[in-house]
Amino acid sequence: MSEEKSFVDTTIHVDVKDYYGNVLKKTEDVKSNACLTPAKPIPAFIRQALKKVHPKVAERYYGCGLVVPECLEGCRILDLGSGSGRDCYMLSQLVGENGHVTGLDMTENQLEVAKEYVDYHMKEFGYKKPNVNFVQGYIEALTEAGLEKNSFDIIISNCVVNLSPDKKRVLAEAYRVLKDGGELYFSDVYSSGRLTEEIKNHKVLWGECLGGALWWEDLLRLAEEVGFSPPRLVTATIITVDNKELEDVLGDFKFVSATYRLFKVPKSSAESCQVIYNGTISGVEDSFQFDCHYTFKAQDVVEVDGEVASLLTHSRFAEDFTFQPTGGPRGSCGVKPKAGSVDPFELALQLQKKSPSSATGGCCSTQSAACCK
């Protein structure tokens, strides 16, 4: 992939920096529910980690859905749009002293808050040296911000990609700095169609994560264009705006908060195969939710499509599965392969009909350092 020319911020970037640096002073200042909609309930061990984050840092947090993938211990993680650093300090505890978390944000006021409390948190966690650092830069220009290519195991992003006017460039930069087998695991706001110019030019709607929302089908196209594996939808939640003035501008457009997995793995023509989850991922030993199609119960034989077989083989999850060709005995909970993209709005409605416990899944956990080579 050829190098991009030097990045220059736009009017949108200036407006967003002003909105998150000056207009919003605390969580209660947001004007819609879009940036407050969690994609799924927060597990107890994550809540415990969040309790150790300094109140001043948590107060300046304006995120959407909390995104915490599995297998973090010892990993190098990049948080795009890290804001005040709340998620970075939470992740700092999950990657452990041998892991590392980098937070990148373009807003000086937010970064000042994040950097002010580095020493406080390292002392709180009992670490001898910091495993967190913060970088000022744009999510469209990661290498220009000094981040090395092929250097991160996992990239997370939380209601931030929608704030960029050039989402393809964001995905391309993420692809560059991920290691082979790495994952972009992110929550964001998506629309039911391509938004009008009126909506896209509305400063408050853009700052509230709605005006820049990508049509979910465009995500599938852009991910493929930059080299990622087809996005795997993990979970989704319908967004209610609950602001009459903003609803009038939005008209019939609907919005959803959705979490996707995108992997940097070789293109594959792998065939479907049978896999057995070994039950070795901490926190989800009994059942591991990979995405909305596949939840793997420990020791059950499950037939997966070729795409998922390739993702599991080439990613940090390889050691947690036993692979065997199709045709062998299928376990009592075995399933036929499931392929094809999923409409996040349909998934969100399905999850609404289920009990909260069934929608939680086993998505958030940590694992040993063996996950990240």
Side-chain angles (χ1 to χ4, degrees), residues 39 53 85 94 137 144 155 159 178-179 220 226 235 276 280 302 373:
V53 176
L94 302 186
E144 198 170 314
I155 297 176
C159 201
L178 275 174
K179 297 178 183 178
L220 310 184
V226 303
T235 190
I276 302 171
T280 48
V302 178
K373 311 311 190 273

Side-chain angles (χ1 to χ4, degrees), residues 159-297:
C159 201
V160 170
V161 176
N162 68 84
L163 296 173
S164 170
D166 191 348
K167 295 167 179 61
K168 182 176 181 179
R169 187 161 177 169
V170 174
L171 295 177
E173 283 289 284
Y175 189 88
R176 278 189 184 137
V177 302
L178 275 174
K179 297 178 183 178
D180 289 340
E183 177 184 12
L184 170 58
Y185 185 94
F186 72 116
S187 173
D188 213 75
V189 177
Y190 297 92
S191 59
S192 55
R194 291 197 179 107
L195 300 177
T196 65
E197 290 301 312
E198 178 190 9
I199 293 173
K200 289 192 286 187
N201 291 326
H202 196 289
K203 289 185 179 182
V204 172
L205 284 174
W206 200 286
E208 291 286 323
C209 304
L210 298 172
L214 191 67
W215 180 31
W216 70 271
E217 291 195 29
D218 279 342
L219 171 67
L220 310 184
R221 174 180 59 81
L222 294 177
E224 181 178 7
E225 288 178 3
V226 303
F228 275 113
S229 61
R232 306 294 304 193
L233 178 62
V234 179
T235 190
T237 308
I238 295 294
I239 289 172
T240 57
V241 178
D242 292 346
N243 181 309
K244 184 64 167 60
E245 181 180 347
L246 298 182
E247 288 174 341
D248 288 343
V249 179
L250 292 170
D252 294 330
F253 284 105
K254 306 298 182 185
F255 298 87
V256 66
S257 173
T259 300
Y260 282 96
R261 295 183 185 273
L262 282 67
F263 288 90
K264 182 179 180 178
V265 298
K267 298 295 181 184
S268 174
S269 56
E271 297 182 356
S272 60
C273 73
Q274 292 181 348
V275 302
I276 302 171
Y277 170 48
N278 301 326
T280 48
I281 301 178
S282 284
V284 290
E285 292 88 349
D286 295 331
S287 180
F288 162 44
Q289 182 193 9
F290 180 71
D291 61 13
C292 65
H293 272 156
Y294 292 101
T295 295
F296 300 103
K297 293 184 178 180

